[in-house]
Amino acid sequence: MDLFKKFFKGDKIIWIVFLLLCLISVIEVFSASSTLTYKSGDHWAPITNHLKLLLGGSFVVWLIHLLPCKTFKLGVVLLGVGWLLLIVVLGMSAVNGASRWIDLGAFQFQPSEIAKMGNIFVVAKILSLHQSEEAGADKNALKWILLLTLPTFLLIGVENLSTAVLLVASIYLMMFVGRIPMRQLLLLTGVGIGCLVLALATVKLVPGPTWNAIGLHRMETWQNRMGTHFDTAAIPPEKFDTDKDGQIAHANIAIATSHILGKGPGNSVQRDFLSQAFSDFIYAIIIEELGLVGGAFVALLYIILLMRIGKIARKCDKPFYAFLVMGIGILLVTQAMFNMLVAVGIMPVTGQPLPLISKGGTSTVINCAYIGILLSISRHVQELQAEEEAQQALLTAPETVAEALQEPAAVPVLSEDEQEKQ
């Protein structure tokens, strides 16, 4: 037990949640990777690669959780690096219909993940610099946050609108937690709703060929997704196109046939028909195999993670650490919520993986880095508590000694025989 405490520091509940999510990931990715198995001809290759990635990510968690918290102040540099890489990736060839990856030969990575992380660091720094204990954030905080978030949103949104929306939603919640003046937040909310309505109307009304002509081919993809999601017309079963709407259809079938306890790990049927069963729609596979109980348990793990993060944030001695852990928690849980809502058909298809569970490359490593940061700051909080307890013990020690000296010494009572002997 002492060896475990020595090598694995920080919040124990976060460690447990992380390990449980990794365990679920190994089981469900192995089960959901049947399409990759068919393509590669190697039954073990998909899960072997995923295990290597999780082991590498776990090492990242362990390494980062040992870093001193002051190191994270350098994270603001990642925003500039992310912007530069996003500009570079726009000039690269498209993969799966979008330019999102930089290919270095040995591996690929998504610059959007680095930009997201950098933006969380920057917003946490701005909120901490413009924070007062009585009034919260001052009026200038919102100006700087918008100035540094808008370029990130535009650079990511050109090829990956759902990731850009996820980032904006997370930063909006960070501003709420950071006590941005309510008047500014309400004004921003009104402007945001107006822009959203205008954007949806534009995407819906502008013909697809027009978007392609100006180089925004992803808008046509969103046009089709919106049309499919919001179309309430009843379609007879014999006319339903499972090829055109295959992912949505088979995800619905997976959930509808799951029941309470599911079909059991490895017994999914719809994994063979869902092209992204191991990534975007892995939550549907989890429900199919583990039932509603398993789906609820996975959702509960993210809720527990957010609750522990809130507890850590309240005990932080510096605002930057508090806002950073809350920003990371909000980002992870919001992304998980996006994935789950898509899988159950409440939201249009967005292409967001389930954090720490879905098969992935850059996203898995970055999410592990997030967990490492959370554990590092929780370790810092625990050390502060230990120091406070030690100081409190030193302060109360003289009082304890004085009380002991003031108490009369106990005099032994002798019997008559013992008194005669003396």
Side-chain angles (χ1 to χ4, degrees):
M1 193 65 179
D2 293 335
L3 185 65
F4 182 85
K5 290 181 179 179
K6 181 179 179 180
F7 286 96
F8 300 94
K9 302 177 181 179
D11 190 278
K12 296 181 180 62
I13 302 299
I14 292 181
W15 272 113
I16 293 171
V17 169
F18 170 69
L19 294 174
L20 285 173
L21 290 173
C22 288
L23 178 61
I24 294 170
S25 176
V26 170
I27 296 171
E28 294 304 318
V29 168
F30 183 53
S31 175
S33 298
S34 59
T35 54
L36 296 180
T37 301
Y38 296 150
K39 291 177 182 178
S40 65
D42 188 344
H43 183 70
W44 293 103
I47 192 59
T48 302
N49 294 334
H50 186 59
L51 275 172
K52 291 178 181 177
L53 194 61
L54 283 179
L55 288 174
S58 299
F59 178 73
V60 170
V61 172
W62 180 80
L63 193 64
I64 292 179
H65 102 287
L66 296 176
L67 295 176
C69 292
K70 61 183 180 181
T71 308
F72 303 136
K73 295 179 181 179
L74 301 175
V76 296
V77 178
L78 292 175
L79 182 59
V81 175
W83 285 354
L84 180 62
L85 293 175
L86 284 170
I87 293 172
V88 171
V89 80
L90 289 177
M92 293 190 170
S93 57
V95 178
N96 294 331
S99 300
R100 300 178 184 175
W101 291 267
I102 291 180
D103 192 350
L104 298 179
F107 63 93
Q108 295 179 333
F109 71 95
Q110 288 183 284
S112 59
E113 295 295 332
I114 298 175
K116 277 166 53 183
M117 175 180 273
N119 234 132
I120 296 297
F121 276 104
V122 167
V123 172
K125 188 65 176 178
I126 292 171
L127 289 172
S128 64
L129 290 175
H130 294 267
Q131 196 75 203
S132 65
E133 190 172 344
E134 299 80 14
D138 61 36
K139 295 181 180 180
N140 293 322
L142 179 63
K143 176 183 68 176
W144 286 106
I145 291 173
L146 293 179
L147 184 64
L148 294 172
T149 301
L150 186 59
T152 313
F153 173 80
L154 295 176
L155 288 170
I156 296 177
V158 171
E159 293 293 340
N160 196 344
L161 184 59
S162 61
T163 299
V165 171
L166 169 66
L167 176 63
V168 168
S170 300
I171 289 176
Y172 179 86
L173 292 174
M174 282 184 70
M175 290 191 292
F176 179 79
V177 172
R179 299 188 299 171
I180 292 290
M182 190 55 64
R183 183 177 178 181
Q184 287 186 325
L185 275 182
L186 291 176
L187 180 61
L188 181 63
T189 303
V191 173
I193 292 174
C195 291
L196 179 62
V197 172
L198 180 62
L200 292 175
T202 304
V203 171
K204 182 176 178 61
L205 297 176
V206 175
T210 303
W211 289 119
N212 290 329
I214 61 177
L216 297 176
H217 57 282
R218 295 295 299 174
M219 294 300 105
E220 185 177 11
T221 301
W222 273 98
Q223 190 177 63
N224 295 332
R225 287 177 178 177
M226 288 169 53
T228 301
H229 183 76
F230 294 106
D231 187 6
T232 57
I235 302 176
E238 64 274 8
K239 292 186 178 181
F240 190 87
D241 190 349
T242 55
D243 293 326
K244 180 180 178 181
D245 303 315
Q247 295 204 103
I248 299 172
H250 292 295
N252 290 338
I253 294 171
I255 294 171
T257 57
S258 63
H259 305 300
I260 302 298
L261 298 178
K263 300 174 182 176
N267 293 322
S268 171
V269 175
Q270 302 307 315
R271 63 187 176 186
D272 296 331
F273 305 99
L274 278 165
S275 60
Q276 296 296 321
F278 49 83
S279 179
D280 301 348
F281 285 90
I282 196 167
Y283 191 63
I285 303 301
I286 290 173
I287 294 177
E288 183 183 13
E289 294 190 346
L290 305 181
L292 299 178
V293 172
F297 178 72
V298 170
L300 180 63
L301 288 178
Y302 290 107
I303 294 172
I304 292 172
L305 178 63
L306 187 60
M307 292 173 62
R308 297 302 298 181
I309 288 171
K311 185 176 181 179
I312 294 168
R314 286 194 298 270
K315 296 181 179 179
C316 287
D317 59 333
K318 295 183 180 179
F320 174 69
Y321 301 156
F323 292 131
L324 181 58
V325 295
M326 285 304 301
I328 290 172
I330 289 169
L331 181 66
L332 289 174
V333 175
T334 303
Q335 182 174 333
M337 183 184 69
F338 272 36
N339 180 281
M340 294 175 185
L341 292 178
V342 169
V344 299
I346 296 177
M347 282 182 61
V349 179
T350 59
Q352 290 299 319
L354 191 59
L356 299 171
I357 291 182
S358 292
K359 187 179 186 299
T362 314
S363 61
T364 299
V365 175
I366 294 293
N367 289 334
C368 287
Y370 286 143
I371 297 296
I373 294 170
L374 296 177
L375 289 168
S376 175
I377 296 177
S378 70
R379 176 178 59 83
H380 172 71
V381 168
Q382 289 178 352
E383 291 172 354
L384 287 177
Q385 288 181 324
E387 290 177 4
E388 290 178 0
E389 290 173 359
Q391 290 177 357
Q392 188 66 28
L394 289 174
L395 291 173
T396 57
E399 298 177 0
T400 306
V401 173
E403 290 176 359
L405 293 174
Q406 290 175 0
E407 291 181 0
V411 178
V413 179
L414 301 177
S415 65
E416 293 181 359
D417 295 337
E418 289 175 337
Q419 289 177 3
E420 290 176 359
K421 289 179 182 180
Q422 289 185 353

